[in-house]
Amino acid sequence: MAQATIKERKSLSAWLSQEKVFRLIPFIMVEATFLLLLAIPFMLTIYISLLKWRANRPFEQAYFHGLLNYVRVLTTEDFWWALGRTFYFAGTAVFFELVIGFLLAMLAYKQFRGRRIYITIFLIPMMVVPVVGGYNFSMIYIDSGPLNQILAPITEAMGVNPRIRWLSHPIAAQWAIIIADVWQWTSLTFLIFLSGFTALPQQLTNAARVLGASRWQIFWKVHLPLLKPAIMIAVIIRSMEALKLFDLSVLLTFGGPGTSTETIAFFLWRQVWQFNKYSFGAAASIILLFIFGALIFYGIYLLVRERSIVEEESMR
Amino acid sequence: MASITLQNLVKKFGETVTAVAGVDLDVSDGEFMVVVGPSGCGKTTTLNMISGFEEPTSGSIMIGERVVTHLEPGDRGLGMVFQDLALFPHMTVFENIAFGMRVDKTADAEVKERVSKVATTMKISHLLSKKPAQCSGGEAQRVALARTIVTEPQVLLMDEPLSSLDAKLRIEMRTELKRLHEELKSTFLYVTHDQAEAMTMADRIMVMESGYVQQIDTPLGIYRKPTNQFVGTFFGQPTMNVVSGRIDNGGAPRFVSEYFELSIEPDAVPASATGKAINLGVRSENVTIGNEGAAGEVKLIEPLGDETLVFFSSGDEEFLVAKVDAEREFGPGDKIHFAFQSSAIHFFDAESGVRLE
Ligand SMILES: Nc1ncnc2c1ncn2[C@@H]1O[C@H](COP(=O)(O)OP(=O)(O)O)[C@@H](O)[C@H]1O
Ligand SMILES: [Mg+2]
């Protein structure tokens, strides 16, 4: 008996010391992680989305409901409003992040005194924890707060009430969230564009100059096309992230006033945790998964295509 | 068509680095001038000041009758071919060649005509729709040339344009560039660190070292009468033999080094060379191996085909090389006698390296 276990152990250690085991180990870990982290919750979500289950009733009483939850989601007007609003927020915020980040990078990529300090300062917002950033903005936006005080000379000159209700006026609140997002994430686009500008070969600029191109022509005909990959990367990374906008809505306005700042992520959270509509929430998240999944795959496709073009061009 | 005139051109980077220390140069209209020197001697910096990428610290630059020292690169009427070619990677070959005309807003029909004409001369018509990355090294080289000459510049600047090519292609392109120069009849200013390239292509050569001009002359002039030891040893393959010693002028002049003595014909010895420490320079083809002269021992043989390089030593320390007819056979260990052709000996001051005449 004792001998048998020893023998067994021996053969186990022999098996483990085989070369092929090492090739299996990463594979097993990847598979296990995939199963645990992705497949199981995903299956569970699909399962729940097919039930009629509310948290105020015990789970045993839940019963199959077919695709009714999906129909409900697709016919809920608020779902579509929240989705549209999310695209509006993401689109506007990413637009400003790209433009401002690009302009800042354009100013900062040339050598000048104190360049490093400026670059470091421009990168700080990105490093602030989002919750802290949101909290800071909630104080800045108070009706009698610093932002309105700074703006007062302008607003008064324009004949507008200087007490702008940043967080309780529907349109002002939307802009409040967009501005906070732009503040935080312009750093990232700045960084991407800065590395893009720095990587521009000086000799190409020189070649264009000798051929008589003006600064403006060099920018449009040489620099901008070469920066296209960086622009694509910035657009895709930021869009993917901005579509998930959640924390700022929660911290600044809690979706209000009304539902004017309710993003799709916030909508989902509210359906599940405020209204306890678990099955509804599950169905909505599956639908979103498909919509965003399609967008992300399209984005990745564009990125990969852009990269292969870049590689082909730099190949020599 | 235009000449280039540089007057006391200086470029300093910061307080300490003097990249170009006062260059005076006259390149006449239609000349093929080659600037040559070891890496870091200031060739690129000189060229960049002529093209306008670097502002000179002092001095002036004229192209033709115009002072261009402070003009924009595009306003100087010159073309440039870059070391790494600098083709625009995102444009087709056609658009690369057309770039100079596009920024001038030349009419489409004329652009087409001129691009196709230059593409025919450069034999790249079949490449026009390709991207630069799809061209081979030699093809890309032609595209870069086509892009430059299509704008019909009066002056063509080239910074080591052949350095990215392999050896065989490089030699082919030398001939091609010379042919192009004959055809265009514009002024070429060509930078290289390769003395063989300079020798084969140039009408005249300017040799630079550490930011200073060493000599400006025709290739043969430089080869036969180097102004100093640096220029003498820089040109020629294998490197010129240099032996330190002095001239003993008691009766018939003799060159006396630590290891050997050789008599030299009296009229070959400049008066200034006697009575002080000198370096004697002699090229391998001017070293004769025969029955007379100083004793030596063959160390190594390097056959070149039509000729043979014989590396030998005199004493234990002094190593020399001779170029002899391939028919004459030598082997390592052979005892020989060697002498120098008096008329082909160069005398350099041992301290300053200046040629003594
Ligand atoms: N932008 C620069 N800043 C500082 N030093 C430079 C710069 N460009 C060139 N140099 C220095 O000037 C010298 C000449 O350089 P360069 O003209 O490029 O030499 P070459 O082309 O003959 O190899 C080198 O010592 C180089 O280090
Ligand atoms: Mg150089």
Side-chain angles (χ1 to χ4, degrees):
Chain A
M1 187 67 198
Q3 258 189 339
T5 39
I6 286 171
K7 200 181 167 197
E8 222 166 67
R9 268 196 204 139
K10 252 191 187 159
S11 63
L12 183 67
S13 66
W15 184 78
L16 276 175
S17 61
Q18 277 177 305
E19 193 70 29
K20 69 175 181 192
V21 175
F22 286 94
R23 269 182 281 145
L24 286 177
I25 286 172
F27 190 64
I28 291 168
M29 294 209 291
V30 169
E31 296 288 290
T33 319
F34 177 74
L35 281 177
L36 283 173
L37 291 182
L38 292 171
I40 293 176
F42 183 64
M43 297 305 217
L44 213 58
T45 312
I46 291 183
Y47 174 64
I48 293 171
S49 75
L50 297 172
L51 297 176
K52 180 164 177 68
W53 175 38
R54 287 197 150 207
N56 51 7
R57 287 198 218 108
F59 188 62
E60 300 89 77
Q61 289 182 19
Y63 54 89
F64 266 103
H65 210 198
L67 292 174
L68 208 64
N69 285 317
Y70 289 89
V71 176
R72 283 211 183 124
V73 172
L74 293 175
T75 51
T76 302
E77 222 172 84
D78 277 355
F79 173 81
W80 293 110
W81 275 112
L83 192 61
R85 211 176 281 125
T86 306
F87 277 105
Y88 167 66
F89 283 163
T92 317
V94 171
F95 171 79
F96 282 110
E97 282 156 23
L98 289 174
V99 172
I100 299 171
F102 193 90
L103 291 177
L104 286 181
M106 209 156 121
L107 292 176
Y109 92 98
K110 294 236 171 73
Q111 284 298 336
F112 60 90
R113 267 172 74 97
R115 174 173 178 263
R116 278 162 179 270
I117 296 169
Y118 282 110
I119 290 177
T120 314
I121 291 174
F122 288 153
L123 291 182
I124 288 175
M126 191 172 74
M127 295 182 243
V128 172
V129 181
V131 173
V132 176
Y135 183 66
N136 283 341
F137 269 97
S138 72
M139 292 191 291
I140 290 170
Y141 284 140
I142 294 172
D143 291 358
S144 56
L147 182 61
N148 278 342
Q149 300 220 351
I150 292 168
L151 291 180
I154 305 169
T155 41
E156 268 166 4
M158 285 164 60
V160 181
N161 180 0
R163 281 178 78 106
I164 299 173
R165 287 158 38 233
W166 281 107
L167 299 177
S168 50
H169 183 281
I171 292 173
Q174 291 183 342
W175 281 100
I177 285 182
I178 290 170
I179 290 169
D181 194 73
V182 169
W183 178 83
Q184 181 139 40
W185 292 113
T186 296
S187 295
L188 182 63
T189 57
F190 166 73
L191 190 65
I192 294 172
F193 291 139
L194 186 69
S195 65
F197 270 112
T198 317
L200 288 176
Q202 180 64 37
Q203 287 302 43
L204 289 186
T205 312
N206 284 351
R209 281 175 75 190
V210 167
L211 290 166
S214 63
R215 274 169 209 286
W216 191 241
Q217 284 170 326
I218 292 173
F219 177 75
W220 284 106
K221 286 174 186 275
V222 181
H223 288 178
L224 204 57
L226 292 175
L227 285 170
K228 210 176 121 201
I231 297 172
M232 295 279 300
I233 288 170
V235 169
I236 290 165
I237 290 182
R238 273 312 298 145
S239 306
M240 285 178 183
E241 200 58 33
L243 288 174
K244 294 189 274 182
L245 188 68
F246 178 71
D247 37 12
L248 287 173
S249 285
V250 174
L251 288 164
L252 292 180
T253 58
F254 212 71
T259 56
S260 61
T261 58
E262 195 176 273
T263 62
I264 194 69
F266 192 81
F267 171 84
L268 273 187
W269 176 84
R270 183 171 263 175
Q271 293 302 317
V272 174
W273 299 109
Q274 280 200 316
F275 307 145
N276 295 329
K277 289 154 75 177
Y278 287 180
S279 296
F280 180 90
S285 59
I286 296 291
I287 291 171
L288 279 181
L289 186 73
F290 278 102
I291 296 175
F292 285 0
L295 281 175
I296 286 170
F297 273 111
Y298 183 63
I300 290 174
Y301 161 77
L302 289 180
L303 265 186
V304 168
R305 198 186 59 170
E306 197 62 39
R307 222 185 102 182
S308 64
I309 292 173
V310 170
E311 268 166 13
E312 188 186 296
E313 277 169 0
S314 60
M315 203 177 57
R316 147 90 78 246
Chain B
M1 304 301 112
S3 57
I4 307 171
T5 312
L6 309 182
Q7 270 168 6
N8 197 17
L9 204 57
V10 176
K11 179 67 187 182
K12 291 184 179 160
F13 292 107
E15 294 292 309
T16 49
V17 183
T18 305
V20 177
V23 169
D24 288 292
L25 177 67
D26 278 297
V27 187
S28 50
D29 186 9
E31 194 174 17
F32 198 136
M33 173 65 86
V34 174
V35 179
V36 68
S39 188
C41 71
K43 307 180 296 287
T44 298
T45 309
T46 307
L47 211 62
N48 281 348
M49 286 190 282
I50 302 173
S51 58
F53 301 136
E54 298 277 8
E55 183 85 355
T57 308
S58 66
S60 75
I61 305 162
M62 281 173 71
I63 294 179
E65 299 300 302
R66 266 196 323 159
V67 177
V68 299
T69 318
H70 302 293
L71 292 186
E72 268 293 298
D75 300 335
R76 298 186 178 203
L78 48 80
M80 182 149 180
V81 180
F82 294 84
Q83 181 164 358
D84 55 4
L85 304 184
L87 295 173
F88 304 118
H90 56 289
M91 298 179 195
T92 59
V93 167
F94 182 97
E95 282 305 323
N96 262 285
I97 299 174
F99 189 87
M101 289 178 276
R102 295 275 190 235
V103 298
D104 279 349
K105 310 225 160 34
T106 310
D108 240 10
E110 194 192 333
V111 172
K112 274 213 187 90
E113 189 195 314
R114 280 168 67 183
V115 170
S116 68
K117 195 168 145 227
V118 77
T120 315
T121 359
M122 295 308 297
K123 306 192 193 78
I124 48 170
S125 304
H126 59 294
L127 298 172
L128 288 178
S129 59
K130 290 193 176 169
K131 289 279 182 71
Q134 296 165 309
C135 300
S136 71
E139 288 168 345
Q141 188 72 55
R142 287 163 200 276
V143 175
L145 277 169
R147 180 178 71 178
T148 307
I149 63 179
V150 76
T151 57
E152 292 165 5
Q154 305 170 320
V155 165
L156 227 100
L157 308 179
M158 292 183 238
D159 191 357
E160 315 211 7
L162 305 185
S163 60
S164 59
L165 302 180
D166 58 60
K168 185 163 178 292
L169 208 50
R170 198 150 61 213
I171 290 171
E172 281 172 26
M173 284 303 290
R174 279 185 202 166
T175 327
E176 188 126 354
L177 278 176
K178 279 196 81 162
R179 181 181 64 84
L180 195 66
H181 177 246
E182 299 288 314
E183 256 176 51
L184 297 174
K185 296 188 170 52
S186 48
T187 313
F188 277 39
L189 187 60
Y190 183 102
V191 161
T192 179
H193 65 266
D194 182 348
Q195 55 92 18
E197 230 169 64
M199 279 288 177
T200 48
M201 292 201 290
D203 290 334
R204 279 196 305 154
I205 296 176
M206 171 165 96
V207 191
M208 285 183 80
E209 218 260 315
S210 317
Y212 289 93
V213 177
Q214 304 293 316
Q215 188 168 4
I216 303 176
D217 205 341
T218 60
L220 277 184
I222 280 182
Y223 194 74
R224 290 185 182 150
K225 277 196 170 187
T227 56
N228 57 35
Q229 191 177 328
F230 169 79
V231 177
T233 50
F234 189 80
F235 289 90
Q237 187 65 25
T239 307
M240 176 191 273
N241 297 299
V242 176
V243 188
S244 42
R246 58 187 177 77
I247 300 292
D248 186 347
N249 218 356
R254 296 174 67 75
F255 173 71
V256 183
S257 87
E258 200 178 335
Y259 298 98
F260 63 87
E261 292 187 21
L262 277 174
S263 53
I264 302 173
E265 282 169 24
D267 46 353
V269 182
S272 55
T274 47
K276 62 176 166 190
I278 59 153
N279 289 343
L280 177 149
V282 60
R283 295 191 191 281
S284 58
E285 61 265 33
N286 304 121
V287 179
T288 52
I289 296 184
N291 303 325
E292 287 171 29
E297 184 187 323
V298 176
K299 292 290 180 194
L300 192 72
I301 299 295
E302 213 174 87
L304 300 176
D306 51 343
E307 286 169 317
T308 303
L309 295 181
V310 181
F311 293 85
F312 61 93
S313 70
S314 164
D316 292 330
E317 299 285 321
E318 199 65 70
F319 291 93
L320 297 159
V321 56
K323 198 184 264 179
V324 301
D325 242 29
E327 275 117 59
R328 302 178 60 189
E329 283 183 18
F330 294 98
D334 287 0
K335 303 288 182 204
I336 52 156
H337 289 271
F338 67 92
F340 303 148
Q341 289 171 17
S342 296
S343 59
I345 294 177
H346 309 277
F347 299 90
F348 303 114
D349 188 290
E351 253 170 63
S352 64
V354 171
R355 178 187 190 80
L356 301 169
E357 285 187 300

